[in-house]
Amino acid sequence: MRAVVIREPGGPEVLEVREVDAPDVPEGHVRVAVRFAGVNRADLLQRLGMYPAPPGAPPDVPGLEYAGVVEAAGKGARRFAPGDRVFGLVPGGAYAERIVAHEREVAPAPDGLSDEEAAAVPEAFVTAYDALVTRARLAPGERVLVHAAGSGVGTAGLQVARALGCFVVGTSRTQDKLDRCRELGLDAGVAAPGGKFADEVLKATRGAGVDVVLDLVGGAYVAEDLKACASRARIALVGLTAGASAELDLRELLRKRVELIGTVLRSRPLEEKIAAAQALERNISPWLARRAVRPVVDRVFAIDDAAAAHIYMASNASFGKVLLRIGA
Amino acid sequence: MRAVVIREPGGPEVLEVREVDAPDVPEGHVRVAVRFAGVNRADLLQRLGMYPAPPGAPPDVPGLEYAGVVEAAGKGARRFAPGDRVFGLVPGGAYAERIVAHEREVAPAPDGLSDEEAAAVPEAFVTAYDALVTRARLAPGERVLVHAAGSGVGTAGLQVARALGCFVVGTSRTQDKLDRCRELGLDAGVAAPGGKFADEVLKATRGAGVDVVLDLVGGAYVAEDLKACASRARIALVGLTAGASAELDLRELLRKRVELIGTVLRSRPLEEKIAAAQALERNISPWLARRAVRPVVDRVFAIDDAAAAHIYMASNASFGKVLLRIGA
C-alpha cells in the first residue's frame, strides 16, 4: 500500500510517498481503507522529530484521524462488516491507504456526512468535547472563551459550546477569521494580535467573565485567561503554540477558585482512547446528524502533496481543517 | 459581652479585649455562647489589615470558628434549642463571647468531643475535606501528598486521606513534626527545609508519584508539586504562605493531564457556606464519633492572651491547632 513516510526528521521535504506493507489485522481489530486523513499540528511536530509516535503506532507514518471503509475484521471483531463507512482516531499511521484499529476505537460515520467531512471531525471534535465537557464540565448557559477560534479545534469548540446553549467569545489573530466564526455561531470576537484579550472578554461578558476557557495557545495566554475568568471557572489547556512557560498569579487562582486543567489526547491508555472514541459515537455523531454542529473543511491536498499540506498548515492561514485525500 | 477587638491594623499589641454590644438574633439564625475559638493564619493577616472581613462580618473582631452552646433561636429557626452544644464556621467575630449564625451554618457538636476539641475541628477539617474530597475528588486508595503536614489543616488532611484508605506522604520543615504526624497515620515524611521535595516524594511512592496534593504553601512549591504528580493528578491549592507567584512548566501539566485547583473558604456565598457546614455534620462528624479522625489541639490561650496566641501561631512552632478560651 502507499503511505506518506517521514524519511528523517526535518522540513516538509522529508515527507515522501512510499510503497509499504499493509498491516495485519489482530484479534478484535478491523482494517480500514482510508479515504481521507486529517492534518494536525502534532504531525508537523512529529515530522520535526519533536513529538515521537507512542508505542504501538508506526514511528514514521504520521496521521491521527481518518475516514474510510472497513475492509476486513479480525477474529472476534463483530461491530463492523466489510463496506461499513467509519471514522476515528489512531495514535499514528493515518497518512496511509490502510490502518488497523481496535474495533471499539472505531465509530460508524454519520449518514449525512461525506467521507471528506467525516475525516474533518475526530481530532477537532473529540479534543473540544473532551476538554470542554468531560474535563471542564461545561454546563448549559455558561460563558465560554475559545482561543484560536478559527482553528480545527476552535471551530469545533465554539460549536460544541453553542450546541449546549452557551454564550461564546472567541479570539483569533485576524478579524477575517472572527467574521467567519460568526457564521458558526460565535457570539463575540476579540482580535488579539498582541496576546492581550482579558479586558475585551470582560467587556463582551458585561464584566462577568467566563466560566470555561478552551486554551489551545498556552504561554502568556494563561495569565490573561485568569484575568478573564469568573468565580469557579475552569481553564482547559490543550495546546502550547505560544510556549510552555507561564508566570501565574496564584492569588487570583485562589480568590476566584479557578481550576487549570491540562489535557492531551495523545499517549492515553487504550481504555481512555476507547472512551474518547465512544464520545464521538454517542455524543458528537447525533449532533452531526441533526446539523447542530458541522465539520469545517478548509482545503484538501492529494497524498502526493503532503509536504504542501504541512507548509499550508504551518502558515496559520487555514480556517478549520486541512485534509489529505488518501484513497479512492 | 467581651470580645477581642483589632484597635487598628498592626502587630499583636493592637488586639485588646473590650466590652461590646452582643449581636441581635435575626430570623432563621441562632445565638451561640462561645466557649472556644480557633486561631487561624487568616486572623493574623486580618489583624495586619491585609485580609479584610467580608461584608456582614464584624470588621474588627477576628475569629472564623467556634464551639459553644446555643443561647437563643431567632424566629423560624428550628434546628437547635437553647443548651445544644454546637460548632461551626463564621465569616468573622468568633473571638467574642457571643456570635450569631444562620442555623443551617451551625452543626451539632459530636458527643464524644470536649468543647475544646470541637473548636479545633471546623476550619481545619472543612478546609481539608472540601479541598481533598469535594474539589480534588480524592478516591479510596489514591496516593496523597500533604504539605505543612503538622499544621491544623495538614493534620486534618492527612487523617481525612487515611480514613479513605489512601497512602499519605507529608512534608514539613522539621523532622520532629513529621514524627508526630506518623502517630496520626502518615505513611512517609519528607523534611523539606529548602522547598525541594519532588525526588523524595517519588521515592516514597516507588516512582509512581501522587494522585492528589493538598498544598497550603503555594509559590515555588507548585512547580515541585507538578514534578511529584502521577498522570491525571489534582493539586488543591488552599494557601500561599510561600507567595503568590509561580513559574510553571505547562508541558508537564498537559503531559500528565494535571488539574491545578485554587480554593478558599472565605468569601463564598451563603449557599456554599451552608454546603461546607453540612459536610461538617454529614461527613466529618461521623468520622469523629467513630474516632477515625481526631482534632489535634496544640495550645489553649486565655481570651486576654490573644496577642500571645498570635505570636505563637506566627512562630510556626505549633503542631495542630491553637485555640482561645472565650467563655465558661
Side-chain angles (χ1 to χ4, degrees):
Chain A
M1 67 170 189
R2 297 198 333 141
V4 178
V5 174
I6 301 168
R7 197 176 52 229
E8 58 189 357
E13 73 284 356
V14 304
L15 298 177
E16 59 181 39
V17 175
R18 276 194 209 158
E19 199 65 31
V20 303
D21 290 337
D24 292 332
V25 192
E27 199 172 322
H29 286 56
V30 294
R31 188 165 68 199
V32 177
V34 175
R35 288 187 169 158
F36 294 87
V39 176
N40 287 284
R41 218 160 274 277
D43 307 343
L44 280 60
L45 294 176
Q46 184 183 355
R47 192 202 67 217
L48 289 163
M50 293 162 64
Y51 203 32
D60 55 352
V61 179
L64 301 172
E65 59 185 335
Y66 66 90
V69 176
V70 172
E71 204 179 56
K75 197 177 155 190
R78 295 196 178 81
R79 269 165 54 83
F80 300 100
D84 285 351
R85 294 179 61 237
V86 294
F87 66 161
L89 295 166
V90 279
Y95 289 13
E97 285 178 336
R98 281 166 189 83
I99 56 108
V100 292
H102 193 282
E103 63 164 354
R104 297 196 64 76
E105 287 187 276
V106 177
D111 284 336
L113 292 191
S114 67
D115 293 331
E116 187 182 304
E117 288 175 311
V121 169
E123 186 74 20
F125 278 90
V126 171
T127 299
Y129 189 91
D130 185 76
L132 287 171
V133 180
T134 308
R135 302 296 313 274
R137 309 183 305 281
L138 180 63
E142 288 195 307
R143 298 177 190 88
V144 181
L145 173 61
V146 176
H147 291 311
S151 66
V153 178
T155 53
L158 78 88
Q159 292 185 83
V160 165
R162 282 287 290 172
L164 284 168
C166 294
F167 179 87
V168 188
V169 186
T171 68
S172 175
R173 270 177 271 198
T174 70
Q175 188 60 46
D176 171 57
K177 288 190 187 179
L178 291 172
D179 293 342
R180 297 178 69 181
C181 286
R182 286 221 171 244
E183 293 162 28
L184 297 171
L186 189 72
D187 291 293
V190 176
K196 292 287 174 200
F197 52 80
D199 289 347
E200 290 295 316
V201 172
L202 287 168
K203 217 176 283 173
T205 55
R206 301 181 181 190
V210 292
D211 303 299
V212 168
V213 182
L214 179 60
D215 190 337
L216 322 167
V217 179
Y221 267 48
V222 182
E224 283 280 297
D225 289 342
L226 263 181
K227 288 187 204 162
C229 276
S231 183
R232 308 213 61 176
R234 290 84 67 199
I235 302 169
L237 188 61
V238 302
L240 297 173
T241 57
S245 174
E247 174 102 29
L248 296 186
D249 179 358
L250 299 175
R251 204 181 313 276
E252 199 153 20
L253 188 94
L254 256 71
R255 191 175 57 80
K256 293 183 173 176
R257 295 188 278 150
V258 168
E259 298 174 33
L260 174 61
I261 303 169
T263 187
V264 67
L265 284 186
R266 194 124 144 175
S267 75
R268 294 191 182 181
L270 179 65
E271 71 276 14
E272 292 191 41
K273 283 186 175 147
I274 290 173
Q278 289 181 342
L280 190 58
E281 184 168 343
R282 265 194 256 169
N283 309 113
I284 299 165
S285 282
W287 270 339
L288 288 164
R290 295 176 38 227
R291 297 264 151 198
V293 301
R294 62 183 177 85
V296 179
V297 177
D298 180 284
R299 271 181 76 174
V300 183
F301 290 81
I303 186 172
D304 293 297
D305 297 330
H310 275 210
I311 291 167
Y312 181 63
M313 177 113 222
S315 75
N316 289 322
S318 56
F319 183 82
K321 293 292 295 184
V322 175
L323 303 179
L324 285 184
R325 179 190 305 274
I326 303 290
Chain B
M1 68 171 189
R2 296 194 339 140
V4 178
V5 174
I6 301 169
R7 196 174 57 229
E8 59 189 359
E13 72 284 355
V14 304
L15 297 177
E16 58 180 40
V17 175
R18 276 194 209 157
E19 198 64 32
V20 303
D21 290 338
D24 291 333
V25 192
E27 201 170 320
H29 286 57
V30 294
R31 188 164 67 201
V32 177
V34 176
R35 288 186 169 159
F36 293 88
V39 176
N40 288 283
R41 219 159 272 277
D43 308 343
L44 279 60
L45 294 176
Q46 184 183 356
R47 191 202 66 216
L48 289 163
M50 293 163 64
Y51 204 33
D60 55 353
V61 179
L64 300 172
E65 60 186 333
Y66 65 90
V69 175
V70 172
E71 202 179 56
K75 199 177 154 189
R78 293 196 179 81
R79 269 166 54 83
F80 299 100
D84 285 351
R85 292 178 63 237
V86 293
F87 66 160
L89 294 166
V90 280
Y95 289 11
E97 285 178 337
R98 281 168 189 81
I99 56 107
V100 292
H102 192 283
E103 65 164 353
R104 296 196 64 75
E105 287 186 279
V106 177
D111 284 338
L113 291 190
S114 67
D115 293 330
E116 187 182 303
E117 288 174 312
V121 170
E123 187 74 19
F125 278 90
V126 171
T127 298
Y129 188 91
D130 185 77
L132 287 172
V133 180
T134 309
R135 300 297 312 277
R137 309 184 304 279
L138 180 63
E142 288 194 307
R143 297 177 190 88
V144 181
L145 173 61
V146 176
H147 291 311
S151 67
V153 177
T155 52
L158 79 88
Q159 292 185 82
V160 164
R162 282 286 291 173
L164 283 167
C166 294
F167 179 87
V168 189
V169 186
T171 69
S172 175
R173 270 176 272 202
T174 70
Q175 188 59 46
D176 171 58
K177 287 189 187 180
L178 291 171
D179 293 341
R180 296 178 68 180
C181 287
R182 286 221 172 244
E183 293 162 29
L184 297 170
L186 189 73
D187 292 292
V190 176
K196 294 286 173 201
F197 51 80
D199 289 345
E200 290 296 316
V201 172
L202 287 168
K203 216 175 285 173
T205 56
R206 300 180 182 190
V210 293
D211 303 299
V212 169
V213 183
L214 179 61
D215 189 338
L216 322 166
V217 178
Y221 267 49
V222 181
E224 282 280 299
D225 289 343
L226 263 181
K227 287 185 204 161
C229 276
S231 183
R232 308 214 62 178
R234 291 84 68 199
I235 303 169
L237 187 61
V238 302
L240 296 173
T241 56
S245 175
E247 176 102 27
L248 295 186
D249 179 357
L250 299 176
R251 204 181 312 274
E252 198 152 22
L253 188 93
L254 256 71
R255 191 176 58 79
K256 293 182 173 176
R257 295 188 278 150
V258 168
E259 299 175 32
L260 176 61
I261 302 169
T263 188
V264 65
L265 284 186
R266 195 124 144 174
S267 76
R268 293 192 183 180
L270 178 64
E271 70 276 15
E272 290 191 42
K273 283 186 176 149
I274 290 173
Q278 288 180 344
L280 190 58
E281 185 168 343
R282 264 194 257 169
N283 309 112
I284 299 164
S285 281
W287 269 340
L288 287 164
R290 294 176 39 226
R291 298 265 150 197
V293 300
R294 62 183 176 86
V296 180
V297 177
D298 179 283
R299 270 181 76 173
V300 182
F301 290 82
I303 186 171
D304 293 297
D305 297 330
H310 276 209
I311 291 167
Y312 181 63
M313 176 112 222
S315 75
N316 290 322
S318 56
F319 183 81
K321 295 291 297 183
V322 176
L323 304 178
L324 285 184
R325 179 190 305 273
I326 304 289

